[in-house]
Amino acid sequence: MDYLLNERQIELRSLARRVALEKVKPVVAKHDRESTFPWDIVEEFAKVGFFSVYIPEEYGGIGGGVFDLVIVTEELSRICGGISLALAGTALGTYPILMSGTADQKARYLPDLVAGRKLAAFGLTEPDAGSDAGAIRTRAVRKGDRYILNGTKHFITNGGVAKIYTIIASTDPGKGSRGATAFIVEDGFPGFRYGKVEDKLGIRASKTCELIFEDCEVPVENRIGKEGQGFIVAMRTLDRTRPGVASQALGIAQGAFDLALEYTTKRKQFGKPISSFQGVQFMLADMAMQIEAARAVVYATARMIDSGAQKIAKESAMCKVVASDVAMKVTTDAVQLFGGYGYMRDYPIEKFMRDAKITQIYEGTNQIQRSVIARNLIKGIAGR
Ligand code: COS
C-alpha cells in the first residue's frame, strides 16, 4: 500500500533499508548466537544520523517525529529486531528529557544523544513492579542539593551500554503512583552500578540488565519535572514509544514473511514449489494481509501523535497490540512454512519467532494494553 510518505521519509526508509542489508545483515547470526552488543553497528547508526530522526531541529535533530522513528525501526527490525533496539531503547530513555526536561537538561544531555555518542535507557520496571508501575520501591530521598537513590531496576533495555538513564523512583511512597518522580542518572554517578545481565530467548543482540542504586547521589538539577510527576512522565513517554515497539514487531513480521515467501517458491515437494499449493497460498495471503493491516494502524497512530494530538494512550496501546500479535502469528506461520528446517538454528527463520515474543510483553504486556484501551473506551462513554 502507498502510505504517501514525504520525501524525507522515503529517503530515510531507503537509507535504513540499505544500512540494514549492508551492515546489519552480515552480523545478525553472530550477535544472536553470542549475545553480544553490536557497537560497530551503533557507530554506523550514529554516522548516518539515525539517533537524530525523531528529535526537533532546535535540539540538533532532523525534525522528524514518532513516524520517522517508526520507519527506521521497522526497516532495521526487518533484518534484526534485537539490533534495532540500540536506537529504539535510546528513544525510550530520551523522550522524558525531550518532553519534560528543563532547557538546561536538554542542553546538557541531548547533543550526545542526538549524535549517537551516548545511548540512553529508561528505568521503570522493578522485580515487584512490572505491570503495576505505580508499585515501584526504588526510593529517592532529598538531602540538600541532591537526591539519594536506593533500589533496583531490572529488565532494563540498553542497561550497561547506555550512559544516560531516566529513572522513575518514589519520593513519597505513601502516595503510590502520585509519589513517583523522574531523574536523569548518568553512568558513573557514585552509588550506581550494574547487576545481573539477562540471558534472553530473543533480541539477544540487545543488552538487558539490572541497575542497582546504593546511596546513589543525583543532583537536584537532574530531577525531571516536579516531585510526584514521575508516573505521568512515564505514561506520557510510553504513549509515544509504544508505536516504536509496534514498528519493531512490524519489521520482525515483514522480515519473517520475506524469507518465508521466498522459501516457498524454492522448496519443492510432490514435484512442484510448495507455493503452488493452495494451503500454502492461503497462509501467505493471510500473513501479508495481517502485516499490511498492522502497518496501517501503526502509521496512522504515529501520524496522529506527530500531529500534536494529546489523547493518544488508547491508539498507542492499540497499535502495539495489533502489531505484536501479528508479529507472533506471522513469525510462527513462517517457521511452519519452513517445516523441519524452520525449527533448526542453521536457518534464519526461528530467530524471528524468538524476537517477536518480547513485543507482546515489554513496554506493557498486551493484557495491560487491552486494559488501557478498555479504560479509555469506558472513560469516553462516561464523558459523553
Ligand atoms: N497519560 C497521562 N497521564 C496518565 C496516563 C497517560 N497515558 N495514564 C495514566 N495517567 C495518570 C492518570 O490520569 C492518573 O493521574 P491522577 O493521579 O492525576 O488522577 C495517574 O496517572 C495514575 O493513573 P492510574 O490510576 O490509571 O494508574 P494505575 O496505577 O491504575 O496504572 C496502568 C495504570 C496499568 C495503565 C499503568 O500502570 C501501566 O501502564 N502499566 C504498565 C507499565 C509498563 O508499561 N511497564 C513496562 C515497563 S516500562 S518499559
Side-chain angles (χ1 to χ4, degrees), residues 3 9 24 29 35 63 78 81 87 104 142 153 180 186 215 218 228 230 234 242 258 287 291 325 335 342 347 350:
Y3 291 98
Q9 291 160 343
V24 180
S35 194
R78 199 166 162 180
L87 170 63
D104 165 63
R142 184 159 179 175
K153 297 287 174 185
E186 291 180 41
D215 290 331
V218 180
R242 283 173 181 156
D258 295 342
M287 290 157 86
I291 291 170
D325 284 354
V335 169
Y347 281 74
E350 53 85 36

PDB file of all heavy atoms in Angstrom, residues 3 9 24 29 35 63 78 81 87 104 142 153 180 186 215 218 228 230 234 242 258 287 291 325 335 342 347 350:
ATOM      1  N   TYR A   3       1.604   4.681   1.489  1.00  0.00           N
ATOM      2  CA  TYR A   3       1.269   5.475   2.682  1.00  0.00           C
ATOM      3  C   TYR A   3       1.634   6.946   2.513  1.00  0.00           C
ATOM      4  O   TYR A   3       1.639   7.696   3.487  1.00  0.00           O
ATOM      5  CB  TYR A   3       1.951   4.868   3.911  1.00  0.00           C
ATOM      6  CG  TYR A   3       1.347   3.529   4.259  1.00  0.00           C
ATOM      7  CD1 TYR A   3       1.956   2.350   3.848  1.00  0.00           C
ATOM      8  CD2 TYR A   3       0.139   3.444   4.938  1.00  0.00           C
ATOM      9  CE1 TYR A   3       1.383   1.116   4.127  1.00  0.00           C
ATOM     10  CE2 TYR A   3      -0.442   2.216   5.226  1.00  0.00           C
ATOM     11  CZ  TYR A   3       0.185   1.066   4.815  1.00  0.00           C
ATOM     12  OH  TYR A   3      -0.393  -0.155   5.092  1.00  0.00           O
ATOM     13  N   GLN A   9      10.950  11.095   4.400  1.00  0.00           N
ATOM     14  CA  GLN A   9      10.656   9.763   4.928  1.00  0.00           C
ATOM     15  C   GLN A   9      11.005   8.663   3.927  1.00  0.00           C
ATOM     16  O   GLN A   9      11.460   7.585   4.314  1.00  0.00           O
ATOM     17  CB  GLN A   9       9.175   9.695   5.347  1.00  0.00           C
ATOM     18  CG  GLN A   9       8.907  10.549   6.571  1.00  0.00           C
ATOM     19  CD  GLN A   9       7.456  10.927   6.758  1.00  0.00           C
ATOM     20  OE1 GLN A   9       6.639  10.825   5.830  1.00  0.00           O
ATOM     21  NE2 GLN A   9       7.123  11.387   7.954  1.00  0.00           N
ATOM     22  N   VAL A  24      23.960  -4.535   8.883  1.00  0.00           N
ATOM     23  CA  VAL A  24      23.394  -5.358   9.960  1.00  0.00           C
ATOM     24  C   VAL A  24      23.332  -6.833   9.574  1.00  0.00           C
ATOM     25  O   VAL A  24      23.767  -7.707  10.331  1.00  0.00           O
ATOM     26  CB  VAL A  24      21.979  -4.841  10.359  1.00  0.00           C
ATOM     27  CG1 VAL A  24      21.395  -5.695  11.469  1.00  0.00           C
ATOM     28  CG2 VAL A  24      22.038  -3.370  10.786  1.00  0.00           C
ATOM     29  N   ALA A  29      23.513 -13.164  12.764  1.00  0.00           N
ATOM     30  CA  ALA A  29      23.587 -14.514  13.348  1.00  0.00           C
ATOM     31  C   ALA A  29      24.635 -14.560  14.461  1.00  0.00           C
ATOM     32  O   ALA A  29      24.405 -15.148  15.521  1.00  0.00           O
ATOM     33  CB  ALA A  29      23.909 -15.530  12.263  1.00  0.00           C
ATOM     34  N   SER A  35      25.162 -13.464  21.781  1.00  0.00           N
ATOM     35  CA  SER A  35      24.507 -12.465  22.626  1.00  0.00           C
ATOM     36  C   SER A  35      25.459 -11.299  22.935  1.00  0.00           C
ATOM     37  O   SER A  35      25.681 -10.928  24.090  1.00  0.00           O
ATOM     38  CB  SER A  35      24.007 -13.108  23.920  1.00  0.00           C
ATOM     39  OG  SER A  35      23.122 -12.229  24.564  1.00  0.00           O
ATOM     40  N   GLY A  63      14.242  16.889  12.885  1.00  0.00           N
ATOM     41  CA  GLY A  63      12.906  17.480  12.968  1.00  0.00           C
ATOM     42  C   GLY A  63      11.786  16.528  12.626  1.00  0.00           C
ATOM     43  O   GLY A  63      10.651  16.932  12.423  1.00  0.00           O
ATOM     44  N   ARG A  78      13.362  -5.501  10.353  1.00  0.00           N
ATOM     45  CA  ARG A  78      13.115  -6.454   9.268  1.00  0.00           C
ATOM     46  C   ARG A  78      14.334  -7.379   9.117  1.00  0.00           C
ATOM     47  O   ARG A  78      14.228  -8.512   8.684  1.00  0.00           O
ATOM     48  CB  ARG A  78      12.916  -5.627   7.988  1.00  0.00           C
ATOM     49  CG  ARG A  78      12.232  -6.322   6.884  1.00  0.00           C
ATOM     50  CD  ARG A  78      11.804  -5.291   5.864  1.00  0.00           C
ATOM     51  NE  ARG A  78      11.517  -5.927   4.605  1.00  0.00           N
ATOM     52  CZ  ARG A  78      11.119  -5.293   3.523  1.00  0.00           C
ATOM     53  NH1 ARG A  78      10.955  -3.981   3.557  1.00  0.00           N
ATOM     54  NH2 ARG A  78      10.872  -5.932   2.412  1.00  0.00           N
ATOM     55  N   GLY A  81      15.546  -7.614  14.873  1.00  0.00           N
ATOM     56  CA  GLY A  81      14.729  -6.961  15.900  1.00  0.00           C
ATOM     57  C   GLY A  81      15.501  -6.668  17.176  1.00  0.00           C
ATOM     58  O   GLY A  81      15.043  -5.913  18.028  1.00  0.00           O
ATOM     59  N   LEU A  87      18.717   1.750  19.053  1.00  0.00           N
ATOM     60  CA  LEU A  87      18.086   3.022  18.703  1.00  0.00           C
ATOM     61  C   LEU A  87      16.757   3.214  19.453  1.00  0.00           C
ATOM     62  O   LEU A  87      16.548   4.237  20.109  1.00  0.00           O
ATOM     63  CB  LEU A  87      17.852   3.067  17.181  1.00  0.00           C
ATOM     64  CG  LEU A  87      17.005   4.204  16.636  1.00  0.00           C
ATOM     65  CD1 LEU A  87      17.660   5.552  16.896  1.00  0.00           C
ATOM     66  CD2 LEU A  87      16.765   4.018  15.138  1.00  0.00           C
ATOM     67  N   ASP A 104      18.090  23.483  30.571  1.00  0.00           N
ATOM     68  CA  ASP A 104      19.448  23.099  30.962  1.00  0.00           C
ATOM     69  C   ASP A 104      19.671  21.593  30.758  1.00  0.00           C
ATOM     70  O   ASP A 104      20.710  21.173  30.234  1.00  0.00           O
ATOM     71  CB  ASP A 104      19.665  23.481  32.442  1.00  0.00           C
ATOM     72  CG  ASP A 104      20.888  22.798  33.022  1.00  0.00           C
ATOM     73  OD1 ASP A 104      21.984  23.085  32.528  1.00  0.00           O
ATOM     74  OD2 ASP A 104      20.745  21.953  33.937  1.00  0.00           O
ATOM     75  N   ARG A 142      15.443  13.406  49.318  1.00  0.00           N
ATOM     76  CA  ARG A 142      16.202  14.640  49.105  1.00  0.00           C
ATOM     77  C   ARG A 142      17.080  14.957  50.312  1.00  0.00           C
ATOM     78  O   ARG A 142      16.619  14.931  51.452  1.00  0.00           O
ATOM     79  CB  ARG A 142      15.249  15.804  48.814  1.00  0.00           C
ATOM     80  CG  ARG A 142      16.022  17.053  48.494  1.00  0.00           C
ATOM     81  CD  ARG A 142      15.237  18.056  47.730  1.00  0.00           C
ATOM     82  NE  ARG A 142      16.067  19.232  47.496  1.00  0.00           N
ATOM     83  CZ  ARG A 142      15.705  20.256  46.772  1.00  0.00           C
ATOM     84  NH1 ARG A 142      14.526  20.259  46.182  1.00  0.00           N
ATOM     85  NH2 ARG A 142      16.511  21.285  46.607  1.00  0.00           N
ATOM     86  N   LYS A 153      16.407  -1.608  39.654  1.00  0.00           N
ATOM     87  CA  LYS A 153      15.574  -1.673  38.447  1.00  0.00           C
ATOM     88  C   LYS A 153      16.022  -2.906  37.689  1.00  0.00           C
ATOM     89  O   LYS A 153      17.227  -3.205  37.651  1.00  0.00           O
ATOM     90  CB  LYS A 153      15.805  -0.418  37.586  1.00  0.00           C
ATOM     91  CG  LYS A 153      15.399   0.878  38.270  1.00  0.00           C
ATOM     92  CD  LYS A 153      13.900   0.995  38.331  1.00  0.00           C
ATOM     93  CE  LYS A 153      13.431   2.190  39.129  1.00  0.00           C
ATOM     94  NZ  LYS A 153      11.953   2.209  39.269  1.00  0.00           N
ATOM     95  N   ALA A 180       5.669   9.269  42.629  1.00  0.00           N
ATOM     96  CA  ALA A 180       6.835   8.908  41.801  1.00  0.00           C
ATOM     97  C   ALA A 180       7.455  10.154  41.174  1.00  0.00           C
ATOM     98  O   ALA A 180       6.751  11.116  40.846  1.00  0.00           O
ATOM     99  CB  ALA A 180       6.426   7.930  40.710  1.00  0.00           C
ATOM    100  N   GLU A 186      23.424   9.414  35.441  1.00  0.00           N
ATOM    101  CA  GLU A 186      24.496   9.113  34.486  1.00  0.00           C
ATOM    102  C   GLU A 186      25.276   7.889  34.931  1.00  0.00           C
ATOM    103  O   GLU A 186      25.461   7.674  36.136  1.00  0.00           O
ATOM    104  CB  GLU A 186      25.458  10.304  34.386  1.00  0.00           C
ATOM    105  CG  GLU A 186      24.870  11.513  33.732  1.00  0.00           C
ATOM    106  CD  GLU A 186      25.893  12.655  33.661  1.00  0.00           C
ATOM    107  OE1 GLU A 186      27.074  12.388  33.369  1.00  0.00           O
ATOM    108  OE2 GLU A 186      25.485  13.798  33.909  1.00  0.00           O
ATOM    109  N   ASP A 215      22.691   4.229  47.792  1.00  0.00           N
ATOM    110  CA  ASP A 215      23.001   5.606  48.187  1.00  0.00           C
ATOM    111  C   ASP A 215      23.564   6.379  46.997  1.00  0.00           C
ATOM    112  O   ASP A 215      24.587   7.075  47.103  1.00  0.00           O
ATOM    113  CB  ASP A 215      23.995   5.631  49.364  1.00  0.00           C
ATOM    114  CG  ASP A 215      23.351   5.133  50.654  1.00  0.00           C
ATOM    115  OD1 ASP A 215      22.112   5.301  50.796  1.00  0.00           O
ATOM    116  OD2 ASP A 215      24.058   4.560  51.492  1.00  0.00           O
ATOM    117  N   VAL A 218      22.221  11.891  43.206  1.00  0.00           N
ATOM    118  CA  VAL A 218      21.748  12.516  41.970  1.00  0.00           C
ATOM    119  C   VAL A 218      21.491  13.997  42.254  1.00  0.00           C
ATOM    120  O   VAL A 218      20.707  14.325  43.159  1.00  0.00           O
ATOM    121  CB  VAL A 218      20.443  11.837  41.483  1.00  0.00           C
ATOM    122  CG1 VAL A 218      19.936  12.486  40.206  1.00  0.00           C
ATOM    123  CG2 VAL A 218      20.645  10.341  41.292  1.00  0.00           C
ATOM    124  N   GLY A 228       6.579  13.974  42.295  1.00  0.00           N
ATOM    125  CA  GLY A 228       5.210  13.452  42.157  1.00  0.00           C
ATOM    126  C   GLY A 228       4.734  13.355  40.718  1.00  0.00           C
ATOM    127  O   GLY A 228       3.671  12.795  40.450  1.00  0.00           O
ATOM    128  N   GLY A 230       6.467  11.853  38.280  1.00  0.00           N
ATOM    129  CA  GLY A 230       7.214  10.804  37.565  1.00  0.00           C
ATOM    130  C   GLY A 230       6.347   9.787  36.854  1.00  0.00           C
ATOM    131  O   GLY A 230       6.693   9.314  35.769  1.00  0.00           O
ATOM    132  N   ALA A 234       6.319   8.975  32.918  1.00  0.00           N
ATOM    133  CA  ALA A 234       6.493   7.611  32.390  1.00  0.00           C
ATOM    134  C   ALA A 234       5.356   7.242  31.440  1.00  0.00           C
ATOM    135  O   ALA A 234       5.587   6.723  30.347  1.00  0.00           O
ATOM    136  CB  ALA A 234       6.573   6.614  33.541  1.00  0.00           C
ATOM    137  N   ARG A 242       5.343   3.289  22.490  1.00  0.00           N
ATOM    138  CA  ARG A 242       4.702   2.009  22.145  1.00  0.00           C
ATOM    139  C   ARG A 242       4.556   1.840  20.627  1.00  0.00           C
ATOM    140  O   ARG A 242       4.715   0.721  20.115  1.00  0.00           O
ATOM    141  CB  ARG A 242       3.374   1.848  22.896  1.00  0.00           C
ATOM    142  CG  ARG A 242       3.623   1.450  24.349  1.00  0.00           C
ATOM    143  CD  ARG A 242       2.395   1.433  25.235  1.00  0.00           C
ATOM    144  NE  ARG A 242       2.773   1.061  26.599  1.00  0.00           N
ATOM    145  CZ  ARG A 242       2.082   1.379  27.680  1.00  0.00           C
ATOM    146  NH1 ARG A 242       0.969   2.077  27.584  1.00  0.00           N
ATOM    147  NH2 ARG A 242       2.497   1.004  28.871  1.00  0.00           N
ATOM    148  N   ASP A 258       9.191 -12.088   4.354  1.00  0.00           N
ATOM    149  CA  ASP A 258      10.072 -12.010   3.173  1.00  0.00           C
ATOM    150  C   ASP A 258      10.771 -13.354   2.954  1.00  0.00           C
ATOM    151  O   ASP A 258      10.820 -13.875   1.837  1.00  0.00           O
ATOM    152  CB  ASP A 258      11.167 -10.939   3.366  1.00  0.00           C
ATOM    153  CG  ASP A 258      10.607  -9.523   3.465  1.00  0.00           C
ATOM    154  OD1 ASP A 258       9.452  -9.310   3.064  1.00  0.00           O
ATOM    155  OD2 ASP A 258      11.341  -8.628   3.967  1.00  0.00           O
ATOM    156  N   MET A 287      -0.902 -13.896   5.922  1.00  0.00           N
ATOM    157  CA  MET A 287       0.251 -13.227   6.559  1.00  0.00           C
ATOM    158  C   MET A 287       0.422 -11.819   5.982  1.00  0.00           C
ATOM    159  O   MET A 287       0.602 -10.845   6.719  1.00  0.00           O
ATOM    160  CB  MET A 287       1.534 -14.045   6.331  1.00  0.00           C
ATOM    161  CG  MET A 287       1.556 -15.356   7.106  1.00  0.00           C
ATOM    162  SD  MET A 287       2.666 -16.575   6.367  1.00  0.00           S
ATOM    163  CE  MET A 287       4.227 -16.142   7.098  1.00  0.00           C
ATOM    164  N   ILE A 291      -0.002  -8.240   8.064  1.00  0.00           N
ATOM    165  CA  ILE A 291       1.104  -7.279   8.162  1.00  0.00           C
ATOM    166  C   ILE A 291       0.643  -5.910   7.668  1.00  0.00           C
ATOM    167  O   ILE A 291       0.904  -4.877   8.308  1.00  0.00           O
ATOM    168  CB  ILE A 291       2.330  -7.762   7.347  1.00  0.00           C
ATOM    169  CG1 ILE A 291       2.952  -8.997   8.012  1.00  0.00           C
ATOM    170  CG2 ILE A 291       3.369  -6.664   7.200  1.00  0.00           C
ATOM    171  CD1 ILE A 291       4.005  -9.706   7.173  1.00  0.00           C
ATOM    172  N   ASP A 325       0.812  -8.847  18.125  1.00  0.00           N
ATOM    173  CA  ASP A 325       0.082 -10.109  17.925  1.00  0.00           C
ATOM    174  C   ASP A 325       0.279 -10.611  16.489  1.00  0.00           C
ATOM    175  O   ASP A 325       0.426 -11.814  16.255  1.00  0.00           O
ATOM    176  CB  ASP A 325      -1.414  -9.940  18.247  1.00  0.00           C
ATOM    177  CG  ASP A 325      -1.674  -9.899  19.761  1.00  0.00           C
ATOM    178  OD1 ASP A 325      -0.717 -10.106  20.543  1.00  0.00           O
ATOM    179  OD2 ASP A 325      -2.835  -9.655  20.165  1.00  0.00           O
ATOM    180  N   VAL A 335       7.787 -20.037  10.403  1.00  0.00           N
ATOM    181  CA  VAL A 335       8.516 -21.239  10.827  1.00  0.00           C
ATOM    182  C   VAL A 335       7.793 -22.472  10.269  1.00  0.00           C
ATOM    183  O   VAL A 335       8.409 -23.402   9.739  1.00  0.00           O
ATOM    184  CB  VAL A 335       8.631 -21.302  12.375  1.00  0.00           C
ATOM    185  CG1 VAL A 335       9.141 -22.669  12.840  1.00  0.00           C
ATOM    186  CG2 VAL A 335       9.550 -20.201  12.883  1.00  0.00           C
ATOM    187  N   GLY A 342      12.672 -24.984   9.468  1.00  0.00           N
ATOM    188  CA  GLY A 342      12.345 -23.786  10.246  1.00  0.00           C
ATOM    189  C   GLY A 342      12.695 -23.912  11.704  1.00  0.00           C
ATOM    190  O   GLY A 342      12.935 -22.920  12.390  1.00  0.00           O
ATOM    191  N   TYR A 347      18.968 -22.227  10.078  1.00  0.00           N
ATOM    192  CA  TYR A 347      18.151 -21.368   9.210  1.00  0.00           C
ATOM    193  C   TYR A 347      17.773 -20.104   9.978  1.00  0.00           C
ATOM    194  O   TYR A 347      17.578 -20.154  11.196  1.00  0.00           O
ATOM    195  CB  TYR A 347      16.895 -22.130   8.751  1.00  0.00           C
ATOM    196  CG  TYR A 347      17.216 -23.091   7.627  1.00  0.00           C
ATOM    197  CD1 TYR A 347      17.909 -24.267   7.878  1.00  0.00           C
ATOM    198  CD2 TYR A 347      16.873 -22.792   6.307  1.00  0.00           C
ATOM    199  CE1 TYR A 347      18.247 -25.129   6.852  1.00  0.00           C
ATOM    200  CE2 TYR A 347      17.205 -23.655   5.274  1.00  0.00           C
ATOM    201  CZ  TYR A 347      17.899 -24.823   5.550  1.00  0.00           C
ATOM    202  OH  TYR A 347      18.235 -25.654   4.525  1.00  0.00           O
ATOM    203  N   GLU A 350      13.827 -19.121  12.680  1.00  0.00           N
ATOM    204  CA  GLU A 350      13.375 -19.303  14.076  1.00  0.00           C
ATOM    205  C   GLU A 350      13.701 -18.085  14.937  1.00  0.00           C
ATOM    206  O   GLU A 350      13.004 -17.776  15.885  1.00  0.00           O
ATOM    207  CB  GLU A 350      13.931 -20.601  14.680  1.00  0.00           C
ATOM    208  CG  GLU A 350      15.456 -20.797  14.593  1.00  0.00           C
ATOM    209  CD  GLU A 350      16.218 -20.133  15.716  1.00  0.00           C
ATOM    210  OE1 GLU A 350      15.730 -20.099  16.836  1.00  0.00           O
ATOM    211  OE2 GLU A 350      17.342 -19.625  15.446  1.00  0.00           O
TER     212      GLU A 350
END
